[in-house]
Amino acid sequence: MSPDTLSARLAAHVIDTPWDALPPAAVLAAKHMALDTLAVAWAGTSAPGIPPVREALIDEGGKPQSAVWATSAKIPARSAAFLNSAAAAALDFDGMRASERGSVHSDSVVLPAALAVAEQHGATGQELVAALVLGNDIVTRLGAASALPHRGWYQTSIYGIMGAAAAAARLMKLDAEQTMHAFGIAVNQACSTQLPNIERSLVKRYSSAFAAQGGVLAALLAARGITAARQAFEGRFGFYELYQPGEPDRLLDGLGVSYPHVETGVKRFPSCACNHTAIEAALQLAREHPVQSSGIADLDVTISPYVHRLVGAPFDPSSDPQVAAQFSVQYSVAAAMLRGRFGVGDIEPEAVLDPATLALARRVTVHVDESWGNGRAATVVVRLHSGERRERHVAHIPGSREAPLAEADRSEKALDCLRAGVQPLDGEQAQRLVDRVLGLDRLANARELLKDLA
């Protein structure tokens, strides 16, 4: 193995790091992320675009290796990783490490891939947790090392496939040489742009799924002796030249010592994170000064150029109402102002198409402050027919490192989501699953995680 390539350095880290060397904070963060991801995926199993693909993959069949979450079905590991990742991303409620350089939803890719492979190979809970720590570490490191400007790739997908490959390689007990080749194989599959976000189409919720499936396949091929580029990141025509430039020194800084996934935030709202500061600003205004739609003369929101690119286009729910709502700052502000809340029910198609909310959303004026660059802050201004003007500015995404959610809020979110989806759990079942996830490293076999819950 070429020891000086980025792939080789990352591969050695993934394979050679022993359990005892993983910091307790990194282990705890991985379990908390797994709980949040599994919960939002459970609720996402009934989201538009998920049921028909689930039916197709179950009908396609294959070896019953890994569970389809919230069902009794088992399908091949790669298919399970694909489908469960799509469910995790469907509600846009999965955790995110926010960064101007590269915001990533690492666990919605890594957990489905890792759990599918762990079930397939009968891994222990501790082995699964180690794979989650190291897979999420790879994704969040790559995101943090991304160089600006963004080229338009969906970073969760193009970095997520590397984390999925890493987690799968660890669980398959590949050596460092094979894992290096898994990264090279993953580069040949990396895909997904921000276009589905901008055009608000259902395939957006499959962007992470392609990465989860591709990471499992990359490790499988490497395990069977398939070789690939040794300089997958920095080589000529490699990832950094063709996809998104990155900074190797930043990527390797603190490798094996610091684990940036510990800064992953738990989302407060089921919507693109670019909407969250605007939602929070509108909610604060609505709570402090409740007002009827008829009393509002003008409603303005100011956002950054980056945020505008993803959620600032005119609101048009005619094709895919739920996706349109998740990627519209106009809808987000209008719904929050009118209802004083923003939960899963507020992105259901019937809520999105509510006439009063539609009318107000189309009256929201969006302004772009070019000086905000890639920032996520938002300012919401409401002017009343009475002449009164009210304004609220929110600088940080709720649930982020700068504005973390309380433990009680995170727990309530998980339990609420587990009581939704195609197979809602009762209170006792939901708490049992929560306890299993938080005690995941003590399970003798990862297959016990979902036992008796479908």
Side-chain angles (χ1 to χ4, degrees), residues 173-337:
K173 303 187 187 303
L174 304 191
D175 61 26
E177 174 89 10
Q178 292 169 312
T179 302
M180 179 191 69
H181 289 303
F183 287 135
I185 296 168
V187 168
N188 281 271
Q189 303 178 82
C191 64
S192 296
T193 77
Q194 291 181 337
L195 193 59
N197 309 46
I198 295 169
E199 293 195 359
R200 302 167 182 179
S201 58
L202 283 173
V203 78
K204 156 61 179 70
R205 48 198 54 177
Y206 286 94
S207 294
S208 62
F210 291 122
Q213 175 180 253
V216 175
L217 179 59
L220 175 63
L221 293 180
R224 301 304 171 97
I226 305 303
T227 58
R230 294 175 179 273
Q231 293 186 325
F233 295 99
E234 71 274 35
R236 185 185 182 193
F237 307 134
F239 188 95
Y240 281 160
E241 182 176 338
L242 296 182
Y243 284 83
Q244 179 70 40
E247 300 178 12
D249 289 345
R250 185 182 289 268
L251 174 63
L252 298 175
D253 184 37
L255 186 69
V257 178
S258 60
Y259 286 79
H261 73 273
V262 301
E263 297 175 352
T264 297
V266 174
K267 277 191 170 185
R268 183 185 292 275
F269 310 118
S271 178
C272 175
C274 288
N275 288 320
H276 284 213
T277 51
I279 293 172
E280 181 63 25
L283 287 176
Q284 290 181 15
L285 288 170
R287 290 168 187 151
E288 294 167 11
H289 306 284
V291 61
Q292 298 295 319
S293 176
S294 59
I296 298 174
D298 296 295
L299 191 55
D300 295 353
V301 58
T302 300
I303 51 180
S304 73
Y306 177 80
V307 170
H308 183 266
R309 183 172 81 185
L310 292 179
V311 300
F315 178 52
D316 179 9
S318 59
S319 178
D320 296 305
Q322 187 172 84
V323 185
Q326 290 171 312
F327 288 89
S328 171
V329 72
Q330 298 96 320
Y331 175 79
S332 299
V333 168
M337 284 293 299

Side-chain angles (χ1 to χ4, degrees), residues 10-22:
L10 296 177
H13 170 58
V14 167
I15 298 304
D16 296 338
T17 300
W19 170 260
D20 292 343
L22 298 175

Side-chain angles (χ1 to χ4, degrees), residues 33 62 90 121 123 153 157 211-212 228 243 246 256 323-324 329 350 355 362 365 393:
M33 290 166 65
H121 290 271
W153 291 102
S157 183
Y243 284 83
V323 185
V329 72
E350 56 270 24
R362 287 168 178 153
T365 301
H393 178 80

